[in-house]
Amino acid sequence: MTQKKQRGQLIVLSGPSGVGKSTVIAELLGQREDLYFSVSFTTREPRTGEQDGVNYNFVGRAEFERMIAAGELLEYAQYVGNYYGTSLKVIQEKLDAGTDVLLDIEVQGAAKVRARCPEAILIFIAPPSFEELSRRLHGRNTDGEEVIQGRLKKAREEIGEVKNYDYLVINDRVSGAVAEIEAILTAAECRVENRDHIVKGVLSL
Ligand code: ADP
Ligand code: 5GP
């Protein structure tokens, strides 16, 4: 029986910069059309190839601080000198409409989501090794050496937060990581509390 869910699931994906989150998410969105990716707000500069409104909503610090003061963000954090945050209104509308929402956010933001939305599913993506993470950050060719060293240092702290997550996925091969996340989402969908409408439907027959 396929029936639209009453409420969507909130899925948080975190992991060090360069681990491959955007790559994995792009693949996942291609496979699951019922999944909505929340486009965050950030004060960082766009990288080559990034589009406003697609990868991020790029805003100035004054506008970001206005959004904080107005309570428009579900969560926000500062990461290597820039603000990043999630719009509350957009994700609430999607969840209320029964659509699953995927957030790509760092560890402080994920902790705030856990506190505000305890039912959220938290997935941490780790690299197969630090050497490989460094290779990917250099290979992406979007950041200078100083920024890369800052992100590698940050990665060690972030990996220490993995205990606060529900699931750990190693992004060795993209297809393997995507398959594991698919499995997590499918299992979550099958939880009895998420199938209340089906149970009620069957019992009323
Ligand atoms: P993030 O969004 O986590 O910062 P990206 O998706 O931008 O990371 O990936 C960083 C770099 O690593 C990119 O050049 C991407 O093509 C590459 N990459 C991603 N996943 C893998 C993988 N499983 N194996 C090898 N390279 C990968
Ligand atoms: P990047 O600059 O590499 O795109 O992202 C840097 C970090 O910011 C990543 O760990 C990413 O997950 C995180 N990030 C992106 N959007 C948000 C957001 O809306 N909130 C928070 N807390 N972190 C975010």
Side-chain angles (χ1 to χ4, degrees):
M1 184 188 304
T2 53
Q3 207 175 328
K4 188 114 176 107
K5 285 177 294 199
Q6 280 159 329
R7 197 168 160 74
Q9 303 197 99
L10 186 57
I11 303 129
V12 172
L13 218 64
S14 302
S17 179
V19 73
K21 296 181 298 299
S22 310
T23 308
V24 166
I25 288 170
E27 189 76 21
L28 200 61
L29 293 175
Q31 291 184 21
R32 279 183 99 95
E33 55 189 32
D34 54 338
L35 187 60
Y36 174 81
F37 176 66
S38 160
V39 180
S40 295
F41 286 79
T42 185
T43 58
R44 96 152 152 67
E45 290 296 314
R47 296 188 183 120
T48 312
E50 282 185 334
Q51 283 176 272
D52 191 25
V54 176
N55 306 90
Y56 282 105
N57 296 301
F58 295 99
V59 295
R61 285 188 86 82
E63 169 60 7
F64 199 101
E65 283 166 359
R66 186 203 62 75
M67 293 173 79
I68 298 172
E72 292 176 15
L73 300 174
L74 167 67
E75 61 73 37
Y76 70 93
Q78 295 225 34
Y79 183 93
V80 197
N82 284 299
Y83 279 124
Y84 294 81
T86 306
S87 160
L88 181 59
K89 185 166 176 278
V90 175
I91 72 156
Q92 247 169 4
E93 284 170 2
K94 294 287 176 189
L95 293 173
D96 288 347
T99 304
D100 292 341
V101 176
L102 181 64
L103 308 182
D104 167 356
I105 65 177
E106 52 66 67
V107 295
Q108 303 162 64
K112 290 184 197 161
V113 172
R114 168 118 292 168
R116 276 186 87 164
C117 317
E119 72 289 357
I121 301 165
L122 271 60
I123 306 173
F124 193 91
I125 306 196
S129 66
F130 271 100
E131 291 69 29
E132 175 60 16
L133 181 63
S134 173
R135 256 195 302 279
R136 287 183 195 173
L137 279 168
H138 284 96
R140 186 165 65 183
N141 231 357
T142 51
D143 301 299
E145 191 56 33
E146 199 181 324
V147 171
I148 290 180
Q149 289 310 321
R151 285 173 184 246
L152 282 171
K153 183 166 173 281
K154 191 96 184 160
R156 293 190 182 274
E157 296 165 19
E158 288 166 334
I159 288 172
E161 299 299 315
V162 71
K163 58 187 181 301
N164 300 326
Y165 286 73
D166 300 309
Y167 297 98
L168 172 65
V169 168
I170 308 293
N171 180 22
D172 191 350
R173 281 178 47 240
V174 174
S175 58
V178 170
E180 287 191 354
I181 296 170
E182 281 267 26
I184 294 165
L185 301 190
T186 302
E189 236 165 61
C190 295
R191 291 182 69 89
V192 172
E193 63 264 32
N194 290 335
R195 300 219 136 160
D196 220 24
H197 56 297
I198 297 178
V199 173
K200 282 189 187 129
V202 170
L203 290 178
S204 68
L205 279 179

